[in-house]
């Protein structure tokens, strides 16, 4: 894109930083895994040579080993050879298949050997039979599904599950989830049944935290205003508590005065009036009267001390849930019952506010937890996304999965050849790094192979980088040989689509031009040698 007034600027690969803002502006020379835009390929090669410290001015005086797609179209190879020989003037070129280079790097002692290579990459998955160290291109098959389709499917699942985080669920994050959290279920249906159990879900669900800001969008209340509002609430609560305590003290004092009046009747010898008052108070004796007087006096004294303490210390006191003068309801005072009930109504408010009042204002936490709201819970999505290479119908693709395609390829061979191929089933490519994939392939082979037949499944030591390691090994071993190298003389004589085969290459199928039909009989005038000399 344009950068100031300096014209267009090109950035390649990791120089882009985060690709998400430019996701739909990125340009690539590839259509799936086949290069078709050679002007962009030239930019990539310039970048590669610059990073390697190889001067590309005039010519690149180094042999080039390049990977290409399985059964690469001749036109694509022709354009690539033309770019390398005509633009960069390279001395010689060799083309090979990335998964076969990986197979070559992980080769066994008895090379050349046979095997069934399962290569799953970013755009597609290949099933490649290798017989005696050479690719049998006639029976290799491709599934147009890979890591890219799994990431898009996972993005669709999570965007439907969390519509509030639509923009945050990007393809880059989905690829990260696929690499770090996904796995292949050995039995997909049985695994889904396990996820229905709440206990299994709690033990196996993965939580992914999305970035968020503590500042609530649309909030216009400043922190000072919130603190002032909190202080006002505390002051109102203090006033309410003090008022209730004073009302309680006044009622208790009135009850005490009444009980002391009845006691004075006993001391004055007015026994008739004394016994009448005892009956009204539901009391049986003077000892019971004295006991209630002592309890009420103690309650009044405690209430006065609390009032004095609240005036000295600014704090919110919580009214006890139990009445401070038990069994006073037997005094028969309706006001006492109403007072206790009204205090109990405010008790939950006091009990909830008390811990908050003792904490500093800055420690008050909002009820709504933003961190939990911005979490993605990965449950069955962990197995649903990578399952598409076994069941393409999950995303509406009318294709066969890996197991069906593998069985179809094996059925093209005799039983003896099948037994040889399944002894070395080799998994490579970045999309084969899911935990459980090897066990799933073994399970599928066990179901399709005859009873008590043997097979062996192996995974590349480094599924992503083994293609490069294999190409390096091959180049070092064949540097001084002519096998597999296309020289400039070969390019000029046989065309850009020409390919020299080797153990990790495609099979070369030359262009067969249709036979020209015999020329029509010459015109009579030309046959007789007459006519206009200019026309002849």
């Amino acid at each position: 894109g344009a950068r100031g007034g300096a014209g267009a600027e090109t950035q390649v690969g990791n120089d882009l930083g985060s690709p998400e803002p430019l996701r739909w502006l990125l340009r690539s020379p590839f259509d799936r895994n086949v290069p078709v835009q050679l002007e962009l390929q030239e930019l990539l090669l310039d970048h590669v040579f610059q990073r390697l410290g190889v001067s590309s001015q005039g010519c690149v005086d180094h042999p080039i080993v390049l990977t290409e797609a399985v059964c690469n179209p001749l036109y694509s190879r022709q354009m690539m050879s033309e770019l390398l020989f005509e633009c960069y003037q390279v001395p010689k070129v060799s083309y090979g298949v990335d998964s076969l280079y990986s197979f070559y790097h992980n080769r066994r002692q008895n090379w050349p050997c046979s095997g069934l290579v399962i290569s799953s990459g970013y755009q597609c998955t290949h099933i490649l039979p290798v017989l005696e160290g050479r690719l049998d291109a006639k029976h290799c098959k491709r599934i147009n599904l890979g890591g890219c389709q799994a990431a898009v499917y996972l993005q669709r699942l999570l965007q439907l599950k969390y519509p509030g985080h639509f923009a945050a669920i990007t393809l880059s994050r989905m690829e990260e989830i696929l690499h770090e959290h996904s796995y292949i279920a050995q039995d997909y249906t049985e695994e889904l049944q396990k996820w229905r159990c709440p206990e299994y879900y709690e033990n196996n669900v993965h939580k992914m935290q999305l970035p968020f800001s503590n500042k609530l969008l649309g909030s216009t209340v400043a922190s000072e205003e919130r603190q002032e509002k909190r202080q006002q609430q505390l002051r109102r609560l203090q006033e309410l508590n003090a008022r209730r305590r004073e009302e309680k003290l006044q009622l208790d004092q009135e009850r005490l005065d009444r009980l002391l009046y009845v006691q004075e009747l006993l001391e004055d010898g007015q026994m008739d009036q004394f016994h009448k008052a005892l009956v009204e108070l539901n009391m049986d004796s003077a000892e019971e009267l004295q006991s209630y007087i002592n309890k009420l006096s103690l309650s009044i004294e405690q209430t006065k001390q609390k009032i004095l303490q609240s005036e000295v210390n600014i704090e919110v006191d919580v009214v006890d849930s139990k009445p401070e003068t038990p069994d006073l309801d037997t005094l028969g005072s309706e006001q006492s019952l109403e007072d206790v009930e009204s205090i109990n109504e405010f008790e939950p408010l006091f009990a909830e506010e008390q811990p908050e009042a003792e904490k500093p204002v800055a420690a008050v936490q909002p009820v709504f937890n933003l961190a939990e709201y911005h979490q993605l819970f990965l449950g069955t999505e962990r197995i649903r996304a990578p399952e598409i290479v076994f069941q393409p119908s999950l995303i509406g693709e009318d294709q066969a999965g890996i197991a069906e395609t593998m069985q179809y390829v094996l059925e093209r061979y005799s039983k003896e050849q099948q037994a040889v191929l399944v002894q070395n089933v080799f998994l490579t490519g970045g999309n084969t790094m899911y935990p459980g994939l090897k066990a799933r392939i073994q399970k599928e082979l066990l179901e399709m192979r005859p009873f008590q037949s043997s097979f062996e499944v192996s995974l590349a030591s480094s599924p992503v980088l083994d293609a490069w390691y294999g190409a390096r090994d091959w180049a070092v071993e064949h540097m001084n040989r002519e096998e597999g190298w296309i020289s400039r003389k070969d390019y000029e004589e046989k065309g850009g689509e020409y390919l020299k085969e080797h153990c990790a290459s495609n099979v070369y199928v030359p262009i067969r031009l249709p036979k020209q039909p015999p020329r029509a009989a010459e015109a009579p005038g030309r046959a007789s040698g007459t006519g206009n000399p200019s026309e002849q």
Side-chain angles (χ1 to χ4, degrees):
R3 182 65 63 90
E9 180 185 4
T10 301
Q11 293 181 339
V12 178
N14 294 332
D15 295 343
L16 290 168
S18 174
E20 290 307 325
L22 309 170
R23 172 68 68 176
W24 309 114
L25 299 177
L26 297 179
R27 303 179 66 192
S28 171
F30 295 96
D31 181 6
R32 289 189 178 270
N33 58 342
V34 177
V36 292
Q37 299 188 41
L38 273 300
E39 66 277 5
L40 298 180
Q41 183 64 45
E42 183 178 352
L43 292 176
L44 291 183
L45 290 175
D46 288 340
H47 175 81
V48 168
F49 292 140
Q50 180 183 359
R51 288 301 178 93
L52 291 175
V54 177
S55 175
S56 59
Q57 296 294 329
C59 69
V60 176
D61 192 18
H62 294 273
I64 301 294
V65 178
L66 205 64
T67 60
E68 62 179 6
V70 181
C71 301
N72 191 36
L74 296 181
Y75 175 77
S76 176
R77 185 186 302 136
Q78 177 185 353
M79 297 300 294
M80 186 66 69
S81 297
E82 181 179 341
L83 176 65
L84 292 172
F85 284 111
E86 301 293 348
C87 181
Y88 293 100
Q89 305 291 324
V90 297
K92 55 183 179 179
V93 177
S94 177
Y95 295 103
V97 179
D98 50 1
S99 53
L100 296 181
Y101 277 133
S102 179
F103 184 66
Y104 180 78
H105 178 68
N106 292 271
R107 63 189 182 275
R108 300 179 177 181
Q109 297 294 333
N110 57 340
W111 181 265
C113 61
S114 302
L116 191 66
V117 179
I118 301 177
S119 170
S120 185
Y122 188 67
Q123 290 284 1
C124 53
T125 300
H126 290 96
I127 311 293
L128 308 177
V130 178
L131 294 173
E132 298 298 327
R134 300 302 293 270
L135 172 68
D136 185 7
K138 190 177 296 185
H139 295 139
C140 64
K141 295 295 176 184
R142 182 186 69 209
I143 306 170
N144 290 322
L145 291 174
C148 175
Q149 288 76 16
V152 172
Y153 181 47
L154 181 60
Q155 182 186 36
R156 207 180 308 161
L157 289 176
L158 291 180
Q159 284 178 343
L160 289 173
K161 186 176 180 180
Y162 299 100
H165 304 312
F166 193 89
I169 301 175
T170 61
L171 279 176
S172 297
R173 289 197 176 101
M174 297 307 100
E175 291 173 0
E176 177 185 350
I177 290 175
L178 283 175
H179 295 161
E180 299 182 4
H181 302 281
S182 296
Y183 66 97
I184 296 288
Q186 191 166 350
D187 189 315
Y188 182 67
T189 306
E190 181 181 343
E191 191 74 15
L192 288 180
Q193 292 297 328
K194 290 181 181 179
W195 278 98
R196 297 182 64 181
C197 175
E199 183 178 355
Y200 185 87
Y201 179 87
E202 290 296 331
N203 294 334
N204 293 276
V205 67
H206 286 194
K207 300 177 183 179
M208 182 177 181
Q209 184 68 59
L210 295 175
F212 69 96
S213 174
N214 282 322
K215 185 176 180 181
L216 284 173
L217 297 178
S219 177
T220 58
V221 181
S223 59
E224 295 80 8
E225 296 177 355
R226 290 197 298 270
Q227 293 179 3
E228 181 63 22
K229 185 177 179 180
R230 183 64 182 165
Q231 292 293 339
Q232 292 177 4
Q233 293 177 350
L234 294 178
R235 284 195 294 269
R236 285 199 299 269
L237 199 57
Q238 290 174 353
E239 294 172 359
L240 176 62
N241 197 25
R243 186 167 61 250
R244 300 300 301 174
R245 192 177 288 114
E246 291 173 357
E247 293 175 359
K248 178 179 180 297
L249 178 61
Q250 182 180 358
L251 292 174
D252 289 345
Q253 189 65 48
E254 292 176 359
R255 296 190 200 105
L256 181 60
D257 293 341
R258 183 181 179 188
L259 294 176
L260 290 175
Y261 171 74
V262 173
Q263 191 178 32
E264 288 176 0
L265 292 177
L266 177 62
E267 294 174 355
D268 294 341
Q270 301 177 9
M271 302 304 295
D272 294 335
Q273 295 182 5
F274 173 73
H275 288 297
K276 185 178 179 180
L278 283 181
V279 172
E280 292 177 356
L281 295 174
N282 291 328
M283 294 186 184
D284 299 328
S285 63
E287 291 79 11
E288 187 176 358
L289 176 63
Q290 185 64 41
S291 175
Y292 280 116
I293 290 176
N294 294 338
K295 291 180 180 179
L296 197 54
S297 300
L298 180 61
S299 175
I300 291 174
E301 187 64 24
Q302 290 177 351
T303 304
K304 289 181 179 180
Q305 291 179 2
K306 287 184 179 180
I307 292 176
L308 292 175
Q309 187 179 3
S310 64
E311 293 175 353
V312 176
N313 302 324
I314 302 176
E315 62 178 2
V316 178
D317 293 331
V318 180
V319 178
D320 296 333
S321 59
K322 296 182 179 180
E324 296 180 357
T325 56
D327 300 333
L328 284 182
D329 53 68
T330 57
L331 298 179
S333 173
E334 296 180 358
Q335 294 180 351
S336 174
L337 290 173
E338 293 176 356
D339 180 75
V340 174
E341 291 175 357
S342 61
I343 292 177
N344 289 338
E345 290 178 2
F346 286 95
E347 180 192 358
L349 177 61
F350 296 152
E352 292 174 3
E353 293 294 331
Q354 174 67 18
E356 297 292 338
E358 294 178 355
K359 294 180 181 179
V361 176
V364 177
Q365 296 292 334
V367 177
F368 181 72
N369 194 332
L370 279 176
E372 292 184 0
Y373 176 72
H374 287 83
Q375 285 180 353
L376 301 182
F377 288 74
L378 305 174
T380 56
E381 294 83 8
R382 295 176 59 196
I383 61 173
R384 292 175 68 184
E387 183 67 21
I388 64 172
V389 294
F390 289 93
Q391 300 185 54
S393 59
L394 291 176
I395 58 174
E397 290 287 341
D398 187 16
Q399 299 184 54
I402 286 182
E404 299 170 73
T405 308
M406 185 166 52
Q407 184 175 9
Y408 179 83
V409 170
L410 289 174
E411 289 176 351
R412 305 301 102 186
Y413 297 96
S414 64
K415 292 183 179 181
E416 293 76 14
Q417 289 176 320
Q418 291 183 28
V420 172
L421 289 174
V422 297
Q423 290 302 318
N424 187 16
V425 179
F426 179 70
L427 308 177
T428 186
N431 204 40
T432 63
M433 298 176 67
Y434 297 114
L437 178 64
K438 182 178 177 181
R440 177 68 176 270
I441 295 294
Q442 290 174 336
K443 174 181 174 294
E444 300 290 352
L445 280 171
L446 186 64
E447 293 177 355
M448 72 177 67
R449 296 297 298 154
F451 179 63
Q452 291 186 342
S453 62
S454 62
F455 57 85
E456 184 177 348
V457 180
S458 60
L459 181 65
S461 56
S462 178
V464 175
L465 297 178
D466 275 357
W468 186 87
Y469 289 134
R472 178 201 61 184
D473 296 343
W474 184 91
V476 171
E477 294 175 9
H478 295 77
M479 181 62 68
N480 298 322
R481 307 180 192 174
E482 293 185 1
E483 177 189 358
W485 293 104
I486 305 171
S487 64
R488 185 173 184 84
K489 182 179 179 181
D490 294 329
Y491 164 73
E492 293 174 348
E493 289 182 359
K494 302 176 181 178
E497 71 278 359
Y498 176 66
L499 172 69
K500 274 192 177 180
E501 297 182 9
H502 55 89
C503 60
S505 72
N506 278 308
V507 176
Y508 175 53
V509 181
I511 298 178
R512 292 186 175 87
L513 297 176
K515 294 183 179 181
Q516 294 289 338
R519 292 185 177 183
E522 294 183 357
R526 297 183 58 185
S528 60
T530 60
N532 194 343
S534 62
E535 293 178 356
Q536 295 178 3

